[in-house]
Amino acid sequence: MAGRRDRSFAQMVRFEGADGIIHGSFFRGRFRADGPRIRLGKAVADWARLRVEVDGTAGTYAILLDGERIGGPYPLAFRAGRAGLQASNGVVRFDDVRLESVEPEGPRLRW
């Protein structure tokens, strides 16, 4: 049985170096990129706000940095799983981490 550290069937968005973001999914422990590394145009040396917006209805996710969309929408590889934080090869601080459910805009149809 898979444990909490198991990355099988997981989506990932993370800073890669000081000026890039990689994104994709793990399938049976191997990372598959959903697109090329996103180049940020400037190094992130201070606090930055990384936001991942998931649209479960459309089955997509988008990446925003400091309120500006920098990538997506990309298709979700999986529609269920855990959320996690990860840092690699650098000093990272996480602050004000939130998982929120956002109601879709517009009228809701009931069948």
Side-chain angles (χ1 to χ4, degrees), residues 70-109:
I70 59 170
Y74 302 107
L76 287 169
F78 313 106
R79 291 183 180 234
R82 295 184 170 99
L85 296 173
Q86 184 255 351
S88 171
N89 298 326
V91 177
V92 176
R93 294 184 185 132
F94 297 104
D95 183 37
D96 197 21
V97 176
R98 292 182 286 183
L99 297 174
E100 300 175 325
S101 177
V102 178
E103 290 294 322
E105 295 179 14
R108 300 178 89 185
L109 299 176

PDB file of all heavy atoms in Angstrom, residues 70-109:
ATOM      1  N   ILE A  70       1.108  32.704 -15.282  1.00  0.00           N
ATOM      2  CA  ILE A  70       2.335  32.454 -16.026  1.00  0.00           C
ATOM      3  C   ILE A  70       2.292  31.119 -16.774  1.00  0.00           C
ATOM      4  O   ILE A  70       3.202  30.831 -17.552  1.00  0.00           O
ATOM      5  CB  ILE A  70       3.572  32.506 -15.109  1.00  0.00           C
ATOM      6  CG1 ILE A  70       3.477  31.474 -13.999  1.00  0.00           C
ATOM      7  CG2 ILE A  70       3.767  33.905 -14.540  1.00  0.00           C
ATOM      8  CD1 ILE A  70       4.744  31.305 -13.201  1.00  0.00           C
ATOM      9  N   GLY A  71       1.251  30.335 -16.548  1.00  0.00           N
ATOM     10  CA  GLY A  71       1.147  29.064 -17.247  1.00  0.00           C
ATOM     11  C   GLY A  71      -0.220  28.439 -17.090  1.00  0.00           C
ATOM     12  O   GLY A  71      -0.879  28.619 -16.079  1.00  0.00           O
ATOM     13  N   GLY A  72      -0.624  27.737 -18.121  1.00  0.00           N
ATOM     14  CA  GLY A  72      -1.880  27.008 -18.063  1.00  0.00           C
ATOM     15  C   GLY A  72      -2.979  27.703 -18.834  1.00  0.00           C
ATOM     16  O   GLY A  72      -2.787  28.779 -19.367  1.00  0.00           O
ATOM     17  N   PRO A  73      -4.100  27.046 -18.906  1.00  0.00           N
ATOM     18  CA  PRO A  73      -4.435  25.831 -18.168  1.00  0.00           C
ATOM     19  C   PRO A  73      -3.771  24.590 -18.774  1.00  0.00           C
ATOM     20  O   PRO A  73      -3.632  24.481 -19.981  1.00  0.00           O
ATOM     21  CB  PRO A  73      -5.955  25.750 -18.274  1.00  0.00           C
ATOM     22  CG  PRO A  73      -6.297  26.506 -19.516  1.00  0.00           C
ATOM     23  CD  PRO A  73      -5.237  27.547 -19.684  1.00  0.00           C
ATOM     24  N   TYR A  74      -3.360  23.700 -17.877  1.00  0.00           N
ATOM     25  CA  TYR A  74      -2.778  22.413 -18.238  1.00  0.00           C
ATOM     26  C   TYR A  74      -3.740  21.324 -17.770  1.00  0.00           C
ATOM     27  O   TYR A  74      -4.394  21.483 -16.748  1.00  0.00           O
ATOM     28  CB  TYR A  74      -1.433  22.199 -17.532  1.00  0.00           C
ATOM     29  CG  TYR A  74      -0.413  23.261 -17.829  1.00  0.00           C
ATOM     30  CD1 TYR A  74      -0.082  24.209 -16.867  1.00  0.00           C
ATOM     31  CD2 TYR A  74       0.225  23.319 -19.054  1.00  0.00           C
ATOM     32  CE1 TYR A  74       0.865  25.188 -17.124  1.00  0.00           C
ATOM     33  CE2 TYR A  74       1.180  24.299 -19.326  1.00  0.00           C
ATOM     34  CZ  TYR A  74       1.492  25.225 -18.353  1.00  0.00           C
ATOM     35  OH  TYR A  74       2.422  26.191 -18.612  1.00  0.00           O
ATOM     36  N   PRO A  75      -3.792  20.211 -18.479  1.00  0.00           N
ATOM     37  CA  PRO A  75      -4.684  19.137 -18.036  1.00  0.00           C
ATOM     38  C   PRO A  75      -4.171  18.451 -16.782  1.00  0.00           C
ATOM     39  O   PRO A  75      -2.970  18.231 -16.630  1.00  0.00           O
ATOM     40  CB  PRO A  75      -4.700  18.166 -19.225  1.00  0.00           C
ATOM     41  CG  PRO A  75      -3.457  18.461 -19.990  1.00  0.00           C
ATOM     42  CD  PRO A  75      -3.132  19.901 -19.738  1.00  0.00           C
ATOM     43  N   LEU A  76      -5.093  18.151 -15.866  1.00  0.00           N
ATOM     44  CA  LEU A  76      -4.739  17.370 -14.685  1.00  0.00           C
ATOM     45  C   LEU A  76      -4.505  15.922 -15.098  1.00  0.00           C
ATOM     46  O   LEU A  76      -5.282  15.372 -15.869  1.00  0.00           O
ATOM     47  CB  LEU A  76      -5.874  17.399 -13.657  1.00  0.00           C
ATOM     48  CG  LEU A  76      -6.097  18.684 -12.889  1.00  0.00           C
ATOM     49  CD1 LEU A  76      -7.415  18.602 -12.130  1.00  0.00           C
ATOM     50  CD2 LEU A  76      -4.947  18.937 -11.939  1.00  0.00           C
ATOM     51  N   ALA A  77      -3.464  15.332 -14.568  1.00  0.00           N
ATOM     52  CA  ALA A  77      -3.235  13.911 -14.812  1.00  0.00           C
ATOM     53  C   ALA A  77      -4.129  13.082 -13.889  1.00  0.00           C
ATOM     54  O   ALA A  77      -4.550  11.991 -14.247  1.00  0.00           O
ATOM     55  CB  ALA A  77      -1.774  13.561 -14.587  1.00  0.00           C
ATOM     56  N   PHE A  78      -4.409  13.621 -12.700  1.00  0.00           N
ATOM     57  CA  PHE A  78      -5.203  12.909 -11.694  1.00  0.00           C
ATOM     58  C   PHE A  78      -6.173  13.890 -11.056  1.00  0.00           C
ATOM     59  O   PHE A  78      -5.840  15.040 -10.845  1.00  0.00           O
ATOM     60  CB  PHE A  78      -4.293  12.308 -10.623  1.00  0.00           C
ATOM     61  CG  PHE A  78      -3.121  11.582 -11.208  1.00  0.00           C
ATOM     62  CD1 PHE A  78      -1.860  12.128 -11.168  1.00  0.00           C
ATOM     63  CD2 PHE A  78      -3.299  10.359 -11.832  1.00  0.00           C
ATOM     64  CE1 PHE A  78      -0.779  11.472 -11.734  1.00  0.00           C
ATOM     65  CE2 PHE A  78      -2.234   9.695 -12.401  1.00  0.00           C
ATOM     66  CZ  PHE A  78      -0.967  10.251 -12.353  1.00  0.00           C
ATOM     67  N   ARG A  79      -7.344  13.437 -10.707  1.00  0.00           N
ATOM     68  CA  ARG A  79      -8.354  14.314 -10.108  1.00  0.00           C
ATOM     69  C   ARG A  79      -8.541  14.084  -8.622  1.00  0.00           C
ATOM     70  O   ARG A  79      -9.432  14.652  -8.020  1.00  0.00           O
ATOM     71  CB  ARG A  79      -9.678  14.140 -10.829  1.00  0.00           C
ATOM     72  CG  ARG A  79      -9.616  14.680 -12.239  1.00  0.00           C
ATOM     73  CD  ARG A  79     -10.972  14.559 -12.884  1.00  0.00           C
ATOM     74  NE  ARG A  79     -10.931  15.082 -14.233  1.00  0.00           N
ATOM     75  CZ  ARG A  79     -11.754  16.018 -14.670  1.00  0.00           C
ATOM     76  NH1 ARG A  79     -12.663  16.520 -13.897  1.00  0.00           N
ATOM     77  NH2 ARG A  79     -11.670  16.427 -15.909  1.00  0.00           N
ATOM     78  N   ALA A  80      -7.720  13.278  -8.012  1.00  0.00           N
ATOM     79  CA  ALA A  80      -7.796  13.038  -6.570  1.00  0.00           C
ATOM     80  C   ALA A  80      -6.382  12.824  -6.041  1.00  0.00           C
ATOM     81  O   ALA A  80      -5.473  12.513  -6.793  1.00  0.00           O
ATOM     82  CB  ALA A  80      -8.653  11.810  -6.282  1.00  0.00           C
ATOM     83  N   GLY A  81      -6.213  13.035  -4.753  1.00  0.00           N
ATOM     84  CA  GLY A  81      -4.906  12.820  -4.146  1.00  0.00           C
ATOM     85  C   GLY A  81      -4.675  13.783  -2.999  1.00  0.00           C
ATOM     86  O   GLY A  81      -5.598  14.433  -2.512  1.00  0.00           O
ATOM     87  N   ARG A  82      -3.429  13.885  -2.581  1.00  0.00           N
ATOM     88  CA  ARG A  82      -3.051  14.750  -1.461  1.00  0.00           C
ATOM     89  C   ARG A  82      -2.366  16.007  -1.961  1.00  0.00           C
ATOM     90  O   ARG A  82      -1.784  16.020  -3.042  1.00  0.00           O
ATOM     91  CB  ARG A  82      -2.090  14.004  -0.536  1.00  0.00           C
ATOM     92  CG  ARG A  82      -2.692  12.817   0.150  1.00  0.00           C
ATOM     93  CD  ARG A  82      -1.658  12.223   1.108  1.00  0.00           C
ATOM     94  NE  ARG A  82      -2.254  11.231   1.947  1.00  0.00           N
ATOM     95  CZ  ARG A  82      -2.178   9.931   1.734  1.00  0.00           C
ATOM     96  NH1 ARG A  82      -1.531   9.471   0.684  1.00  0.00           N
ATOM     97  NH2 ARG A  82      -2.741   9.098   2.556  1.00  0.00           N
ATOM     98  N   ALA A  83      -2.400  17.038  -1.144  1.00  0.00           N
ATOM     99  CA  ALA A  83      -1.616  18.253  -1.395  1.00  0.00           C
ATOM    100  C   ALA A  83      -0.373  18.178  -0.520  1.00  0.00           C
ATOM    101  O   ALA A  83      -0.415  17.635   0.582  1.00  0.00           O
ATOM    102  CB  ALA A  83      -2.433  19.491  -1.050  1.00  0.00           C
ATOM    103  N   GLY A  84       0.737  18.713  -1.002  1.00  0.00           N
ATOM    104  CA  GLY A  84       1.963  18.685  -0.208  1.00  0.00           C
ATOM    105  C   GLY A  84       2.869  19.848  -0.558  1.00  0.00           C
ATOM    106  O   GLY A  84       2.693  20.513  -1.581  1.00  0.00           O
ATOM    107  N   LEU A  85       3.821  20.104   0.309  1.00  0.00           N
ATOM    108  CA  LEU A  85       4.838  21.125   0.083  1.00  0.00           C
ATOM    109  C   LEU A  85       6.185  20.439  -0.007  1.00  0.00           C
ATOM    110  O   LEU A  85       6.460  19.495   0.729  1.00  0.00           O
ATOM    111  CB  LEU A  85       4.861  22.128   1.236  1.00  0.00           C
ATOM    112  CG  LEU A  85       3.615  22.956   1.428  1.00  0.00           C
ATOM    113  CD1 LEU A  85       3.720  23.779   2.697  1.00  0.00           C
ATOM    114  CD2 LEU A  85       3.411  23.865   0.230  1.00  0.00           C
ATOM    115  N   GLN A  86       7.041  20.942  -0.887  1.00  0.00           N
ATOM    116  CA  GLN A  86       8.336  20.331  -1.073  1.00  0.00           C
ATOM    117  C   GLN A  86       9.354  21.404  -1.406  1.00  0.00           C
ATOM    118  O   GLN A  86       9.048  22.355  -2.120  1.00  0.00           O
ATOM    119  CB  GLN A  86       8.256  19.304  -2.205  1.00  0.00           C
ATOM    120  CG  GLN A  86       9.502  18.517  -2.444  1.00  0.00           C
ATOM    121  CD  GLN A  86      10.265  18.956  -3.686  1.00  0.00           C
ATOM    122  OE1 GLN A  86       9.791  19.749  -4.477  1.00  0.00           O
ATOM    123  NE2 GLN A  86      11.468  18.459  -3.822  1.00  0.00           N
ATOM    124  N   ALA A  87      10.547  21.293  -0.856  1.00  0.00           N
ATOM    125  CA  ALA A  87      11.654  22.187  -1.181  1.00  0.00           C
ATOM    126  C   ALA A  87      12.862  21.329  -1.500  1.00  0.00           C
ATOM    127  O   ALA A  87      13.057  20.281  -0.902  1.00  0.00           O
ATOM    128  CB  ALA A  87      11.952  23.121  -0.012  1.00  0.00           C
ATOM    129  N   SER A  88      13.671  21.795  -2.428  1.00  0.00           N
ATOM    130  CA  SER A  88      14.809  21.003  -2.859  1.00  0.00           C
ATOM    131  C   SER A  88      15.984  21.914  -3.184  1.00  0.00           C
ATOM    132  O   SER A  88      15.823  22.903  -3.894  1.00  0.00           O
ATOM    133  CB  SER A  88      14.394  20.202  -4.089  1.00  0.00           C
ATOM    134  OG  SER A  88      15.478  19.565  -4.680  1.00  0.00           O
ATOM    135  N   ASN A  89      17.147  21.590  -2.668  1.00  0.00           N
ATOM    136  CA  ASN A  89      18.397  22.271  -3.019  1.00  0.00           C
ATOM    137  C   ASN A  89      18.370  23.779  -2.821  1.00  0.00           C
ATOM    138  O   ASN A  89      18.813  24.532  -3.670  1.00  0.00           O
ATOM    139  CB  ASN A  89      18.785  21.963  -4.466  1.00  0.00           C
ATOM    140  CG  ASN A  89      19.032  20.502  -4.688  1.00  0.00           C
ATOM    141  OD1 ASN A  89      19.519  19.813  -3.799  1.00  0.00           O
ATOM    142  ND2 ASN A  89      18.677  20.006  -5.852  1.00  0.00           N
ATOM    143  N   GLY A  90      17.838  24.254  -1.723  1.00  0.00           N
ATOM    144  CA  GLY A  90      17.844  25.681  -1.457  1.00  0.00           C
ATOM    145  C   GLY A  90      17.126  26.003  -0.167  1.00  0.00           C
ATOM    146  O   GLY A  90      16.572  25.132   0.493  1.00  0.00           O
ATOM    147  N   VAL A  91      17.153  27.268   0.180  1.00  0.00           N
ATOM    148  CA  VAL A  91      16.475  27.743   1.378  1.00  0.00           C
ATOM    149  C   VAL A  91      15.099  28.257   0.974  1.00  0.00           C
ATOM    150  O   VAL A  91      14.990  29.120   0.113  1.00  0.00           O
ATOM    151  CB  VAL A  91      17.280  28.870   2.061  1.00  0.00           C
ATOM    152  CG1 VAL A  91      16.527  29.406   3.257  1.00  0.00           C
ATOM    153  CG2 VAL A  91      18.651  28.354   2.459  1.00  0.00           C
ATOM    154  N   VAL A  92      14.078  27.694   1.571  1.00  0.00           N
ATOM    155  CA  VAL A  92      12.704  28.054   1.245  1.00  0.00           C
ATOM    156  C   VAL A  92      11.934  28.222   2.533  1.00  0.00           C
ATOM    157  O   VAL A  92      12.129  27.470   3.486  1.00  0.00           O
ATOM    158  CB  VAL A  92      12.034  26.961   0.382  1.00  0.00           C
ATOM    159  CG1 VAL A  92      10.584  27.288   0.127  1.00  0.00           C
ATOM    160  CG2 VAL A  92      12.776  26.766  -0.916  1.00  0.00           C
ATOM    161  N   ARG A  93      11.070  29.209   2.584  1.00  0.00           N
ATOM    162  CA  ARG A  93      10.156  29.387   3.710  1.00  0.00           C
ATOM    163  C   ARG A  93       8.741  29.415   3.166  1.00  0.00           C
ATOM    164  O   ARG A  93       8.466  30.052   2.163  1.00  0.00           O
ATOM    165  CB  ARG A  93      10.456  30.695   4.435  1.00  0.00           C
ATOM    166  CG  ARG A  93      11.797  30.694   5.098  1.00  0.00           C
ATOM    167  CD  ARG A  93      12.000  31.979   5.884  1.00  0.00           C
ATOM    168  NE  ARG A  93      13.343  31.981   6.405  1.00  0.00           N
ATOM    169  CZ  ARG A  93      14.166  32.997   6.315  1.00  0.00           C
ATOM    170  NH1 ARG A  93      13.774  34.116   5.748  1.00  0.00           N
ATOM    171  NH2 ARG A  93      15.370  32.924   6.809  1.00  0.00           N
ATOM    172  N   PHE A  94       7.864  28.709   3.843  1.00  0.00           N
ATOM    173  CA  PHE A  94       6.452  28.704   3.474  1.00  0.00           C
ATOM    174  C   PHE A  94       5.692  29.521   4.504  1.00  0.00           C
ATOM    175  O   PHE A  94       5.908  29.380   5.692  1.00  0.00           O
ATOM    176  CB  PHE A  94       5.906  27.273   3.451  1.00  0.00           C
ATOM    177  CG  PHE A  94       6.556  26.396   2.432  1.00  0.00           C
ATOM    178  CD1 PHE A  94       7.491  25.438   2.807  1.00  0.00           C
ATOM    179  CD2 PHE A  94       6.236  26.516   1.092  1.00  0.00           C
ATOM    180  CE1 PHE A  94       8.088  24.620   1.872  1.00  0.00           C
ATOM    181  CE2 PHE A  94       6.831  25.697   0.143  1.00  0.00           C
ATOM    182  CZ  PHE A  94       7.760  24.746   0.541  1.00  0.00           C
ATOM    183  N   ASP A  95       4.810  30.379   4.043  1.00  0.00           N
ATOM    184  CA  ASP A  95       4.018  31.214   4.937  1.00  0.00           C
ATOM    185  C   ASP A  95       2.615  31.338   4.333  1.00  0.00           C
ATOM    186  O   ASP A  95       2.468  31.443   3.122  1.00  0.00           O
ATOM    187  CB  ASP A  95       4.666  32.595   5.066  1.00  0.00           C
ATOM    188  CG  ASP A  95       3.932  33.493   6.040  1.00  0.00           C
ATOM    189  OD1 ASP A  95       3.453  32.989   7.067  1.00  0.00           O
ATOM    190  OD2 ASP A  95       3.831  34.695   5.765  1.00  0.00           O
ATOM    191  N   ASP A  96       1.626  31.337   5.207  1.00  0.00           N
ATOM    192  CA  ASP A  96       0.245  31.568   4.771  1.00  0.00           C
ATOM    193  C   ASP A  96      -0.190  30.544   3.722  1.00  0.00           C
ATOM    194  O   ASP A  96      -0.675  30.896   2.657  1.00  0.00           O
ATOM    195  CB  ASP A  96       0.094  32.994   4.242  1.00  0.00           C
ATOM    196  CG  ASP A  96      -1.362  33.414   4.159  1.00  0.00           C
ATOM    197  OD1 ASP A  96      -2.197  32.807   4.852  1.00  0.00           O
ATOM    198  OD2 ASP A  96      -1.666  34.328   3.387  1.00  0.00           O
ATOM    199  N   VAL A  97      -0.008  29.279   4.030  1.00  0.00           N
ATOM    200  CA  VAL A  97      -0.405  28.207   3.133  1.00  0.00           C
ATOM    201  C   VAL A  97      -1.897  27.953   3.303  1.00  0.00           C
ATOM    202  O   VAL A  97      -2.382  27.798   4.411  1.00  0.00           O
ATOM    203  CB  VAL A  97       0.396  26.916   3.431  1.00  0.00           C
ATOM    204  CG1 VAL A  97      -0.088  25.770   2.575  1.00  0.00           C
ATOM    205  CG2 VAL A  97       1.877  27.171   3.244  1.00  0.00           C
ATOM    206  N   ARG A  98      -2.626  27.949   2.191  1.00  0.00           N
ATOM    207  CA  ARG A  98      -4.071  27.733   2.248  1.00  0.00           C
ATOM    208  C   ARG A  98      -4.518  26.814   1.122  1.00  0.00           C
ATOM    209  O   ARG A  98      -4.014  26.897   0.015  1.00  0.00           O
ATOM    210  CB  ARG A  98      -4.813  29.058   2.096  1.00  0.00           C
ATOM    211  CG  ARG A  98      -4.630  29.990   3.247  1.00  0.00           C
ATOM    212  CD  ARG A  98      -5.425  31.234   3.037  1.00  0.00           C
ATOM    213  NE  ARG A  98      -4.741  32.025   2.011  1.00  0.00           N
ATOM    214  CZ  ARG A  98      -5.139  33.213   1.608  1.00  0.00           C
ATOM    215  NH1 ARG A  98      -6.231  33.738   2.097  1.00  0.00           N
ATOM    216  NH2 ARG A  98      -4.473  33.885   0.715  1.00  0.00           N
ATOM    217  N   LEU A  99      -5.474  26.000   1.435  1.00  0.00           N
ATOM    218  CA  LEU A  99      -6.207  25.228   0.433  1.00  0.00           C
ATOM    219  C   LEU A  99      -7.644  25.701   0.524  1.00  0.00           C
ATOM    220  O   LEU A  99      -8.257  25.626   1.580  1.00  0.00           O
ATOM    221  CB  LEU A  99      -6.134  23.728   0.713  1.00  0.00           C
ATOM    222  CG  LEU A  99      -4.754  23.106   0.665  1.00  0.00           C
ATOM    223  CD1 LEU A  99      -4.830  21.648   1.098  1.00  0.00           C
ATOM    224  CD2 LEU A  99      -4.171  23.203  -0.725  1.00  0.00           C
ATOM    225  N   GLU A 100      -8.164  26.220  -0.563  1.00  0.00           N
ATOM    226  CA  GLU A 100      -9.506  26.788  -0.545  1.00  0.00           C
ATOM    227  C   GLU A 100     -10.356  26.182  -1.648  1.00  0.00           C
ATOM    228  O   GLU A 100      -9.867  25.896  -2.731  1.00  0.00           O
ATOM    229  CB  GLU A 100      -9.447  28.298  -0.776  1.00  0.00           C
ATOM    230  CG  GLU A 100      -8.657  29.052   0.249  1.00  0.00           C
ATOM    231  CD  GLU A 100      -8.539  30.527  -0.096  1.00  0.00           C
ATOM    232  OE1 GLU A 100      -8.452  30.870  -1.293  1.00  0.00           O
ATOM    233  OE2 GLU A 100      -8.543  31.315   0.842  1.00  0.00           O
ATOM    234  N   SER A 101     -11.610  26.054  -1.373  1.00  0.00           N
ATOM    235  CA  SER A 101     -12.575  25.658  -2.382  1.00  0.00           C
ATOM    236  C   SER A 101     -13.244  26.926  -2.880  1.00  0.00           C
ATOM    237  O   SER A 101     -13.723  27.731  -2.084  1.00  0.00           O
ATOM    238  CB  SER A 101     -13.614  24.715  -1.778  1.00  0.00           C
ATOM    239  OG  SER A 101     -14.572  24.396  -2.743  1.00  0.00           O
ATOM    240  N   VAL A 102     -13.245  27.116  -4.169  1.00  0.00           N
ATOM    241  CA  VAL A 102     -13.825  28.322  -4.753  1.00  0.00           C
ATOM    242  C   VAL A 102     -15.039  27.907  -5.570  1.00  0.00           C
ATOM    243  O   VAL A 102     -14.957  27.016  -6.421  1.00  0.00           O
ATOM    244  CB  VAL A 102     -12.801  29.045  -5.653  1.00  0.00           C
ATOM    245  CG1 VAL A 102     -13.415  30.270  -6.283  1.00  0.00           C
ATOM    246  CG2 VAL A 102     -11.560  29.404  -4.855  1.00  0.00           C
ATOM    247  N   GLU A 103     -16.151  28.540  -5.301  1.00  0.00           N
ATOM    248  CA  GLU A 103     -17.363  28.247  -6.055  1.00  0.00           C
ATOM    249  C   GLU A 103     -17.200  28.744  -7.482  1.00  0.00           C
ATOM    250  O   GLU A 103     -16.652  29.816  -7.720  1.00  0.00           O
ATOM    251  CB  GLU A 103     -18.573  28.945  -5.418  1.00  0.00           C
ATOM    252  CG  GLU A 103     -18.977  28.355  -4.086  1.00  0.00           C
ATOM    253  CD  GLU A 103     -19.482  26.928  -4.222  1.00  0.00           C
ATOM    254  OE1 GLU A 103     -20.175  26.619  -5.210  1.00  0.00           O
ATOM    255  OE2 GLU A 103     -19.174  26.124  -3.328  1.00  0.00           O
ATOM    256  N   PRO A 104     -17.663  27.979  -8.447  1.00  0.00           N
ATOM    257  CA  PRO A 104     -17.581  28.430  -9.835  1.00  0.00           C
ATOM    258  C   PRO A 104     -18.422  29.680 -10.051  1.00  0.00           C
ATOM    259  O   PRO A 104     -19.408  29.883  -9.372  1.00  0.00           O
ATOM    260  CB  PRO A 104     -18.133  27.256 -10.627  1.00  0.00           C
ATOM    261  CG  PRO A 104     -18.806  26.374  -9.668  1.00  0.00           C
ATOM    262  CD  PRO A 104     -18.307  26.696  -8.287  1.00  0.00           C
ATOM    263  N   GLU A 105     -17.981  30.506 -10.986  1.00  0.00           N
ATOM    264  CA  GLU A 105     -18.718  31.736 -11.302  1.00  0.00           C
ATOM    265  C   GLU A 105     -19.933  31.400 -12.151  1.00  0.00           C
ATOM    266  O   GLU A 105     -19.945  30.430 -12.882  1.00  0.00           O
ATOM    267  CB  GLU A 105     -17.805  32.706 -12.047  1.00  0.00           C
ATOM    268  CG  GLU A 105     -16.647  33.193 -11.193  1.00  0.00           C
ATOM    269  CD  GLU A 105     -15.758  34.133 -11.977  1.00  0.00           C
ATOM    270  OE1 GLU A 105     -16.157  34.610 -13.039  1.00  0.00           O
ATOM    271  OE2 GLU A 105     -14.647  34.382 -11.481  1.00  0.00           O
ATOM    272  N   GLY A 106     -20.929  32.241 -12.044  1.00  0.00           N
ATOM    273  CA  GLY A 106     -22.106  32.080 -12.880  1.00  0.00           C
ATOM    274  C   GLY A 106     -23.177  31.228 -12.205  1.00  0.00           C
ATOM    275  O   GLY A 106     -22.981  30.676 -11.136  1.00  0.00           O
ATOM    276  N   PRO A 107     -24.318  31.125 -12.863  1.00  0.00           N
ATOM    277  CA  PRO A 107     -25.435  30.365 -12.285  1.00  0.00           C
ATOM    278  C   PRO A 107     -25.135  28.875 -12.258  1.00  0.00           C
ATOM    279  O   PRO A 107     -24.408  28.355 -13.087  1.00  0.00           O
ATOM    280  CB  PRO A 107     -26.593  30.682 -13.232  1.00  0.00           C
ATOM    281  CG  PRO A 107     -25.948  31.035 -14.517  1.00  0.00           C
ATOM    282  CD  PRO A 107     -24.629  31.683 -14.164  1.00  0.00           C
ATOM    283  N   ARG A 108     -25.679  28.217 -11.259  1.00  0.00           N
ATOM    284  CA  ARG A 108     -25.524  26.768 -11.149  1.00  0.00           C
ATOM    285  C   ARG A 108     -26.826  26.123 -11.583  1.00  0.00           C
ATOM    286  O   ARG A 108     -27.899  26.505 -11.153  1.00  0.00           O
ATOM    287  CB  ARG A 108     -25.219  26.379  -9.701  1.00  0.00           C
ATOM    288  CG  ARG A 108     -23.938  27.026  -9.220  1.00  0.00           C
ATOM    289  CD  ARG A 108     -23.677  26.672  -7.808  1.00  0.00           C
ATOM    290  NE  ARG A 108     -22.907  25.437  -7.812  1.00  0.00           N
ATOM    291  CZ  ARG A 108     -22.584  24.785  -6.716  1.00  0.00           C
ATOM    292  NH1 ARG A 108     -22.982  25.199  -5.545  1.00  0.00           N
ATOM    293  NH2 ARG A 108     -21.866  23.701  -6.780  1.00  0.00           N
ATOM    294  N   LEU A 109     -26.713  25.175 -12.464  1.00  0.00           N
ATOM    295  CA  LEU A 109     -27.904  24.474 -12.946  1.00  0.00           C
ATOM    296  C   LEU A 109     -28.118  23.226 -12.093  1.00  0.00           C
ATOM    297  O   LEU A 109     -27.193  22.495 -11.799  1.00  0.00           O
ATOM    298  CB  LEU A 109     -27.717  24.058 -14.405  1.00  0.00           C
ATOM    299  CG  LEU A 109     -27.501  25.197 -15.395  1.00  0.00           C
ATOM    300  CD1 LEU A 109     -27.230  24.629 -16.772  1.00  0.00           C
ATOM    301  CD2 LEU A 109     -28.724  26.102 -15.445  1.00  0.00           C
TER     302      LEU A 109
END
